[in-house]
Structure formats: C-alpha cells, structure tokens
Amino acid sequence: MLRQASKFLCPLHRGTYSPQIRRIAAAAKPAPVAIVGGGPCGLTFARLLERAGVDYVVFERDASFTAAQKFQGGTLDLGPEGGQAALKSAGLFTEFQKYARYEGSCLTIQDFKGNHYERMGGDDRDRPEIDRFQLRQMLLQSIPEQRVKWNMKLLGAEIQKREQDSGSTSAADCVLRFEDGTSERGFRLVVGSDGAWSKLRQVITPMEPTYTGRLFIEGAISPGNPQYNAAVALAGPGNSLATGNHQALCVQQMSDRSYRVYMAVEGPESMTRPGGQLDLSNQEETCGRINELYSPWAPHLRDIVAAVEGPYRAWPLFQLDERLFARAEENKNDLPHEERWKRVPGVTLLGDAAHVGVPNGEGVNHAMTDARKLFECLEAELKEAGEGFDQKADAVRIERAISAYEADMFPRAHESIRDGIGMMGMMFAKDGAKKMKEILAQTPQDAQT
C-alpha cells in the first residue's frame, strides 16, 4: 500500500488517487528540513540536501532575492579543507573557479609605524578569495527559487508538544515564530544558521554573545579615489594588515578592484551610536574623529584612513563564551548548568549561530565545514533507512546524526573561539605585527590565514 501511495509524491501523479490514499502518502512522506538563515553555511547545507533529494525549506530574513543582492560585506578566503571541500561536496567547485582569485591570497603585514614590513603569499597559496556577495549568489542560484521563503525574520522558537502525541520530542515539536505573525512547525529537522544573534539558539542555550570592547568601522576606496594607487601599493590584489597603538587597519581588494577598509579600534559598544565618540549618524564629523585616532600612525597609513569613503558601517565584535564548548568530562565546562548547550531533539545550529567568535580568518570556512559535516552525518544515518518511511525511526536516526555532528563541531568551535581571542589580542598588541610575522613565517603557506 505504501509503495503504491509513494507514486503520489510525484507531481505527475497528483490527483490520481483517492483522498484516503493521499492521506496515507502524506503520512509516509518525510517532512521537510527547516533551515533558518540563508547565509553561506545555511545555503551550503541546502545545496547538499538538494543534491541528495531531501526535502527542505530555507527561511530568510531578506525581503527578496533582489534585496539579497545588496551589500554583503567584504571578501572571503576559502581553504582547501574548509570552504573548498564543502563546495566540492556540493558540486559547485567548478562554478567557484569562475570567481576564485588566487592572486588575492597575498598578505602584507606591518606595524602602525611601517616597521616589520612583510609581504607573503600569492598564487602559490591555495586560499583563493571570493566576494561574500558572489559566494552567496552562487549558492542561491544552485537551488530552486521556490525553496527559499523570503522576508521571514525569525522572532523566536519554542518546543511545543502536541497534546495528542504521547511519543518523545522531535523536530516536529519545534515551533518557529516569524515577524509577520506566522508560525511554522512539523519539520523533520530544524537547523539554525541565522548568525550571531540566532533566535533558534535560545531553545538550546540562553547564552548570548558578549561585546569584546573592540569594533571595526568599514568604508571603501574606489578606483577614482586620490589614494587608490596607494591602496594598490599597500595591499595589491590581496590584503594588508597594519597593527599597533591599540588599533588596526585592514585593507582588502574586492573583485571589482575597489578596496574595503576596516579600521579596528577599542571602545564601548556605544562608540558609533548617536552621541558616541564616533557617531555614525554624522558621517562627516566622524571622518575627522577617526583621523584623529590614527594621528600617531605613519603618514602612508594615515593618508589611507583620511581617504576612506563612506558610508561608514560599524561592526562591533562579539563572541560566545568558549566554555560552552569545553568538554565536561575534563571538568573544563564550569558554566552554570542552565547556560550549557542542551540537546534539543531534532534541532541544531551551524556557523555563527552555533559558535560566533571574533574574526580569526576562518569564520566562513568553519561555517561551511559545519554544513558539510552535518550533511555527512545525516547521509550516513539515512542511507540505512531502507524502503518505506517510519517517522519515529527517522527521528531516532536524525538525532544520532545531530549528536555525531555536534561531537565533531564542539572541539572545532572551542578552538575557533580561542584562536579568535588570540588573533585579536595580537592584532591590538604593541608588537602584534612582529609576532604575526614570526608566526606566519613558521606556518606552511597553504595553511596560513
């Protein structure tokens, strides 16, 4: 009976069977996987499910595909074991090569006075750059457009058991509530890839990211800028990092040959808000104040800062407590019990939603690895399912897959957050450029970040 009813799942057979058989077929059909958030890791996971023929839906806060084409941030370098491996699994590596800029992997380091200057990397490093916008568009175009529900901003989630269901809790009991007043439930698996301020994370832990006391202020240098040639000399086709005096200056070339500039400073979270020292509501006045902050810097670096074009954007740096991912058996997880990561059947997190930390050069690689690892764990479980579909058995298999994924993700998350703390400490240290130069000189080029 179920084998016959399964024909109903094909659109060509719709309307062929009686309402009774349709109900049987619907009951036998796996519910879709819910992916909250359409960034690189959520879309990578969606693409992997698409290739495997697993039903899914992506809930994205952007209003439309057109809105998703707007500003997406700077450029990303994808490592062979991170983003590249995920794209290969997703069948998108050849497409990625159309955008990959291997020459963009070069890095220039110096301190705020121009000392300890070093340029390294280039075509021989297997960490090509791609604009964040290009990566996201490539992933979006790799899945059917009807798979994405736009303008779906998640406000919260809760586990709400159905009264008539006396079985164990599963993803079907996770209710997603959206800003437009709608709610969704009844999924096979719920995956949060909704970034640093994930609303889905709240069902797993009440922990929120904390401000680190540092922030980036972003601007640009376009080809028509008087300092454009200076930016070319500074960063070339890749990246430049100058550090010291409790500040940093990052310059990176984009695919259109313009440059994104990130001025990293220390200060309160309110620093760029109305009334703050660098009030971004008054861009012209803020420009002068930023210049004052960089007045002790070398003239060639100070000139870059003075030439940065607006509009300025602020990126306060937040991170989760690394202890969230420490192994309890080693007595390293001394968080209060209520703040620890709780296994919620059928629900898990990817990328910044799971383990947001300050930049360490590996964020998108770790996020896309999360997507690949979760898919591989699911694939290993579901391929053993055999014919027919049993919802309870499926929930057990999915829970095993999530547990295996999280066992792999936890140590990577712990290490990533700690690496970010070390990277930021070095970036803002008085001798940060010297230390970074020494570390990178000892690191194989294909592993440098």
Side-chain angles (χ1 to χ4, degrees):
M1 186 72 162
L2 288 177
R3 189 171 299 175
Q4 288 180 327
S6 67
K7 294 179 181 179
F8 171 71
L9 304 182
C10 174
L12 294 176
H13 294 276
R14 199 161 289 165
T16 304
Y17 299 100
S18 68
Q20 180 184 10
I21 291 183
R22 291 184 189 181
R23 285 194 296 271
I24 294 172
K29 179 182 177 181
V33 173
I35 303 171
V36 182
C41 63
L43 292 175
T44 297
F45 187 60
R47 167 64 179 178
L48 291 165
L49 294 179
E50 178 69 29
R51 294 193 84 201
V54 177
D55 193 13
Y56 66 93
V57 57
V58 179
F59 296 101
E60 168 53 39
R61 64 182 296 166
D62 281 345
S64 65
F65 182 85
T66 302
Q69 294 176 320
K70 294 180 180 179
F71 180 78
Q72 293 290 317
T75 182
L76 305 165
D77 63 308
L78 301 190
E81 297 180 0
Q84 290 186 45
L87 291 177
K88 287 178 180 177
S89 295
L92 293 174
F93 190 72
T94 299
E95 184 69 16
F96 166 66
Q97 293 297 304
K98 298 177 183 179
Y99 305 99
R101 306 194 309 276
Y102 286 86
E103 73 281 3
S105 62
C106 66
L107 172 65
T108 299
I109 297 173
Q110 61 191 303
D111 72 8
F112 77 109
K113 289 296 187 181
N115 301 319
H116 306 296
Y117 181 92
E118 181 76 20
R119 176 165 285 187
M120 57 190 70
D123 293 340
D124 57 339
R125 285 186 66 210
D126 190 14
R127 296 189 67 89
E129 298 280 342
I130 181 173
D131 289 5
R132 183 180 290 271
F133 162 79
Q134 293 174 325
L135 177 62
R136 191 184 187 203
Q137 293 303 94
M138 182 181 72
L139 289 163
L140 274 171
Q141 291 166 0
S142 74
I143 62 176
E145 58 182 83
Q146 67 269 21
R147 291 291 192 178
V148 182
K149 288 191 174 183
W150 299 97
N151 203 26
M152 298 294 284
K153 181 180 179 181
L154 187 68
L155 290 184
E158 60 183 301
I159 305 302
Q160 192 177 86
K161 196 136 182 71
R162 298 174 187 266
E163 291 183 5
Q164 68 271 25
D165 187 357
S166 59
S168 58
T169 302
S170 70
D173 302 304
C174 183
V175 182
L176 305 177
R177 304 195 184 281
F178 297 93
E179 189 177 55
D180 64 359
T182 63
S183 62
E184 300 269 0
R185 71 177 302 165
F187 297 104
R188 187 182 191 185
L189 165 66
V190 179
V191 178
S193 56
D194 48 338
W197 299 103
S198 170
K199 297 299 183 181
L200 192 61
R201 188 196 300 129
Q202 296 170 359
V203 304
I204 291 175
T205 172
M207 182 182 289
E208 294 280 356
T210 57
Y211 179 58
T212 62
R214 293 160 176 161
L215 56 87
F216 288 170
I217 301 171
E218 180 186 4
I221 291 182
S222 63
N225 191 298
Q227 284 293 312
Y228 180 78
N229 289 337
V232 172
L234 187 67
N239 298 267
S240 169
L241 174 62
T243 72
N245 198 42
H246 303 289
Q247 294 159 233
L249 178 66
C250 309
V251 182
Q252 56 179 210
Q253 190 179 83
M254 305 290 290
S255 62
D256 64 359
R257 300 301 183 260
S258 68
Y259 287 89
R260 306 306 304 178
V261 181
Y262 297 88
M263 297 159 284
V265 298
E266 293 180 331
E269 188 183 350
S270 60
M271 193 175 193
T272 56
R273 294 175 182 171
Q277 182 184 0
L278 303 177
D279 182 351
L280 295 189
S281 65
N282 187 335
Q283 299 265 322
E284 185 175 346
E285 186 175 317
T286 296
C287 178
R289 291 181 177 178
I290 293 174
N291 291 343
E292 290 175 7
L293 286 177
Y294 282 84
S295 60
W297 284 54
H300 69 289
L301 298 171
R302 197 166 61 239
D303 289 345
I304 292 287
V305 172
V308 173
E309 305 159 25
Y312 295 122
R313 296 178 176 85
W315 300 100
L317 302 182
F318 289 83
Q319 66 184 26
L320 285 169
D321 191 324
E322 64 185 273
R323 294 177 297 170
L324 185 63
F325 306 100
R327 289 179 290 186
E329 65 269 21
E330 295 182 2
N331 297 317
K332 292 180 180 179
N333 190 339
D334 56 353
L335 286 173
H337 185 76
E338 63 274 11
E339 290 190 14
R340 296 180 186 179
W341 186 288
K342 179 177 61 175
R343 263 294 335 114
V344 177
V347 180
T348 193
L349 305 172
L350 304 174
D352 281 353
H355 47 75
V356 62
V358 294
N360 66 354
E362 288 291 347
V364 73
N365 287 290
H366 286 165
M368 294 174 73
T369 297
D370 285 349
R372 178 173 63 87
K373 292 288 188 178
L374 177 57
F375 174 76
E376 289 174 351
C377 292
L378 280 172
E379 185 179 42
E381 287 290 340
L382 298 183
K383 71 180 182 182
E384 303 296 333
E387 293 188 11
F389 177 74
D390 182 281
Q391 185 173 351
K392 290 184 178 180
D394 185 67
V396 171
R397 284 190 290 268
I398 285 178
E399 188 58 21
R400 284 200 301 261
I402 294 175
S403 296
Y405 157 68
E406 291 184 355
D408 176 86
M409 180 266 287
F410 266 44
R412 289 189 292 105
H414 188 262
E415 181 182 7
S416 179
I417 292 174
R418 288 191 62 83
D419 282 351
I421 294 170
M423 180 67 75
M424 283 296 107
M426 187 162 47
M427 183 180 290
F428 284 84
K430 184 178 180 180
D431 59 348
K434 180 182 177 182
K435 289 181 178 178
M436 195 170 296
K437 178 180 174 181
E438 291 171 350
I439 290 173
L440 292 177
Q442 299 170 8
T443 306
Q445 291 212 343
D446 61 355
Q448 289 173 12
T449 61

